[in-house]
């Protein structure tokens, strides 16, 4: 089959998600010469307009190519785009198209992606909750919502307890963070995992102090304790903290991943299928991590197509730790878009066996919610935090 048409869609509705980026989705629809349709997804955040136009540009490199040559197609774009390893927009556009191609190959063969990748290692993918603490500010807010998460059957949850602190955190901030984490630990008991999100915003000295304060609550990992590209910061953090480091959501290539793995700067890798290079690169990155004795917890914060394809890949790799999950905190339309094909039950998702990405995309919702890409307003609370949490109490 040949790639005949590639169409990006920006989907949005008035119903708010758990954060600004959670209210939007960028979907890519690929149509083949035989009239088959496959779907992929790209990253929105503050980049909706540039990503939308990157998809239009990157598409030019894919049109007319054979759908089934997914690996070669990725490399062809790598060859064309001199800046791919430096461009998040190009990387997420390529990733979205790659996902749609895997979806198409699966549909053509009548097989879910997990069968194309060696078969299921597990029938259910364990997940951790995120997005559950919208508007939580006080320790009591966090404790109350954390209990609800456990009530829903989750055995692991992630949150950012650092409020409005950025780069440097003072004693006041350290205390507030500790009180929030303590409240969650007490609310969920000893055996539910808590994962601490730093959103890559601290310098190493601050992150190390944070680790000393939070260690006693036994977090499963500290995510992006320092800025993504701060290699010296990661080195210093690894020397002075006892927490496991998770990172990887901003990686855009296999070779960039190697930088962090080779030096032992990361304990749990969090590649994101929608910007690392789709299924094609994500599965290599997972194997690379396996060779370094590093577990994988795919970053999965955007929409229901990303979620579906991440479940497929998470089901086949031996070194999966957990898959991130916003599903129960999505705006309803994101679940409707995939006909609620990936429900979370008792903290895990049954791996769907439908062909391709494993879910059926509801075209009616695509048509109803599609909008023109517009530049987003920039407000004081950064787009990357869960809404209403950029506050002290
Ligand atoms: O680990 C995560 O889920 C991420 O850090 C999100 O919380 C980001 O805010 C989002 O990916 C927007 O960039
Ligand atoms: Mg994160």
């Amino acid at each position: 089959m040949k790639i005949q048409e590639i169409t990006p869609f920006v989907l949005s509705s008035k119903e708010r998600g758990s954060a600004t980026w959670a209210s939007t989705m960028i979907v890519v629809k690929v149509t083949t010469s035989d009239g088959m349709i496959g779907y992929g997804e790209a990253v929105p955040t503050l980049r909706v307009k540039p990503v939308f136009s990157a998809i239009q540009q990157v598409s030019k490199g894919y049109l007319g190519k054979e759908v089934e040559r997914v690996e070669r197609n990725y490399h062809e774009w790598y060859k064309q785009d001199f800046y791919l390893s430096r461009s998040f927009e190009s990387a997420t556009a390529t990733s979205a198209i790659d996902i749609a191609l895997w979806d198409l190959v699966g549909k053509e063969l009548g097989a879910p992606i997990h069968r194309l990748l060696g078969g299921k290692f597990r029938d259910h993918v364990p997940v951790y909750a995120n997005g559950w603490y919208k508007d939580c500010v006080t320790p009591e807010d966090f404790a109350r919502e954390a209990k609800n998460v456990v009530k829903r059957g989750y055995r692991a949850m992630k949150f950012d307890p650092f409020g409005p602190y950025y780069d440097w955190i003072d004693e006041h901030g350290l205390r507030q963070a500790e009180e929030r984490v303590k409240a969650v630990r007490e609310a969920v008991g000893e055996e539910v995992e808590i994962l601490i999100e730093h959103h890559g915003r601290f310098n190493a000295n601050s992150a190390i102090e944070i680790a000393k304060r939070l260690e006693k609550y036994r977090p499963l990992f500290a995510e992006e304790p320092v800025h993504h590209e701060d290699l010296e910061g990661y080195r210093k953090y690894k020397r002075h903290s006892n927490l496991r480091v998770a990172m990887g959501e901003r990686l855009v290539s296999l070779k960039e991943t190697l930088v962090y793995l080779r030096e032992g700067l990361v304990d749990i890798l969090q590649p994101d299928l929608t910007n690392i290079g789709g299924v094609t690169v994500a599965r290599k990155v997972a194997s690379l991590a396996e060779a370094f004795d590093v577990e994988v917890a795919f970053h999965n914060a955007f929409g229901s197509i990303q979620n579906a394809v991440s479940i497929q890949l998470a089901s086949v790799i031996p070194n999966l730790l957990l898959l991130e999950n916003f599903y129960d905190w999505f705006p309803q339309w994101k679940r409707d878009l995939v006909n609620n094909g990936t429900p979370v039950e008792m903290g895990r998702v049954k791996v769907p066996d439908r062909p391709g990405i494993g879910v059926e995309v509801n075209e009616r919702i695509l048509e109803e919610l599609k909008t023109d890409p517009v530049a987003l307003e920039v407000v004081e609370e950064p787009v990357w935090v869960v809404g209403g949490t950029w506050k002290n109490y």
Side-chain angles (χ1 to χ4, degrees):
M1 293 191 290
K2 295 255 192 290
I3 303 172
Q4 186 160 304
E5 212 180 313
I6 300 177
T7 319
F9 290 82
V10 174
L11 305 184
S12 179
S13 103
K14 288 204 174 58
E15 188 193 348
R16 311 298 299 169
S18 54
T20 317
W21 43 266
S23 309
T24 308
M25 245 178 100
I26 303 177
V27 175
V28 169
K29 175 177 175 180
V30 175
T31 310
T32 71
S33 46
D34 317 32
M36 281 184 72
I37 289 171
Y39 289 101
E41 188 181 337
V43 176
T45 66
L46 274 187
R47 305 282 178 115
V48 175
K49 270 186 89 158
V51 168
F52 188 86
S53 70
I55 295 167
Q56 293 171 324
Q57 180 60 65
V58 176
S59 297
K60 302 274 188 200
Y62 278 83
L63 291 174
K65 298 258 166 25
E66 277 178 56
V67 170
E68 296 82 355
R69 298 190 166 199
V70 277
E71 177 82 39
R72 188 184 163 92
N73 291 338
Y74 174 81
H75 280 263
E76 283 291 311
W77 181 247
Y78 192 91
K79 179 174 84 186
Q80 291 290 342
D81 185 3
F82 194 66
Y83 292 102
L84 176 55
S85 63
R86 290 276 168 272
S87 166
F88 158 78
E89 286 80 2
S90 179
T92 188
T94 321
S95 300
I97 296 170
D98 181 89
I99 292 165
L101 298 188
W102 280 92
D103 187 29
L104 282 163
V105 177
K107 285 173 173 160
E108 189 182 23
L109 301 176
I113 291 171
H114 67 72
R115 284 192 56 198
L116 310 179
L117 296 176
K120 283 183 279 191
F121 191 89
R122 54 188 69 75
D123 295 326
H124 295 86
V125 168
V127 301
Y128 69 81
N130 198 353
W132 56 272
Y133 59 103
K134 186 168 182 289
D135 297 321
C136 286
V137 177
T138 65
E140 297 72 39
D141 294 337
F142 278 90
R144 184 190 62 242
E145 293 310 317
K147 277 195 181 137
N148 280 335
V149 176
V150 176
K151 242 185 239 154
R152 282 171 175 262
Y154 286 89
R155 306 298 296 161
M157 66 187 79
K158 187 165 89 180
F159 60 106
D160 179 330
F162 304 110
Y165 288 88
Y166 192 83
D167 278 335
W168 183 257
I169 190 162
D170 60 14
E171 182 57 31
H172 190 67
L174 286 166
R175 247 184 243 195
Q176 295 216 338
E178 178 169 354
E179 282 168 13
R180 289 175 180 128
V181 174
K182 181 167 182 272
V184 172
R185 173 50 80 210
E186 286 170 2
V188 304
E190 293 303 316
E191 290 181 8
V192 169
E193 300 287 4
I194 61 180
L195 290 49
I196 304 297
E197 168 71 274
H198 300 57
H199 279 116
R201 67 156 154 323
F202 293 114
N203 54 42
N205 286 336
S206 295
I208 291 163
E209 274 314 299
I210 289 168
K212 284 188 198 151
R213 297 290 184 106
L214 301 188
E215 213 179 285
K216 48 181 161 312
Y217 306 105
R218 290 180 297 97
L220 182 62
F221 59 61
E223 176 170 331
E224 290 195 315
V226 298
H227 296 273
H228 170 84
E229 72 288 6
D230 184 7
L231 289 173
E232 281 307 329
Y234 272 109
R235 290 182 187 118
K236 192 165 172 180
Y237 187 83
K238 286 299 288 180
R239 281 199 304 274
H240 297 286
S241 125
N242 295 321
L243 299 184
R244 297 185 195 98
V245 171
M247 63 83 63
E249 64 183 271
R250 298 185 238 189
L251 294 166
V252 292
S253 72
L254 175 68
K255 291 178 186 182
E256 188 193 4
T257 310
L258 184 59
V259 174
Y260 294 85
L261 286 171
R262 194 183 41 214
E263 270 198 61
L265 302 180
V266 53
D267 301 295
I268 288 128
L269 192 70
Q270 302 175 296
D272 183 320
L273 274 76
T274 62
N275 54 234
I276 197 135
V279 177
T280 300
V281 180
R283 67 178 177 146
K284 294 185 190 186
V285 157
S287 303
L288 192 64
E290 185 188 346
F292 281 94
D293 264 312
V294 162
E295 283 75 41
V296 171
F298 292 108
H299 179 250
N300 177 31
F302 303 115
S304 39
I305 292 177
Q306 173 189 37
N307 183 51
V309 69
S310 301
I311 291 166
Q312 291 293 319
L313 186 53
S315 77
V316 305
I317 63 166
N319 54 333
L320 179 80
L321 178 66
L322 285 166
L323 174 64
E324 181 168 21
N325 187 278
F326 275 80
Y327 200 76
D328 286 325
W329 291 272
F330 274 164
Q332 182 59 37
W333 63 266
K334 287 193 185 175
R335 286 183 294 269
D336 294 343
L337 181 67
V338 295
N339 297 323
N340 196 21
T342 49
V344 182
E345 278 147 10
M346 299 314 287
R348 50 189 216 165
V349 184
K350 186 169 185 309
V351 181
D353 287 319
R354 299 179 74 95
I357 58 173
V359 291
E360 205 179 14
V361 171
N362 186 333
E363 298 243 358
R364 189 178 51 79
I365 302 217
L366 267 189
E367 288 305 323
E368 266 173 30
L369 299 186
K370 77 171 176 207
T371 89
D372 291 330
V374 289
L376 296 181
E377 292 309 322
V378 175
V379 295
E380 195 195 331
E381 178 169 272
V383 71
W384 40 264
V385 297
V386 165
T389 61
W390 192 254
K391 286 189 187 113
N392 283 322
Y393 60 90

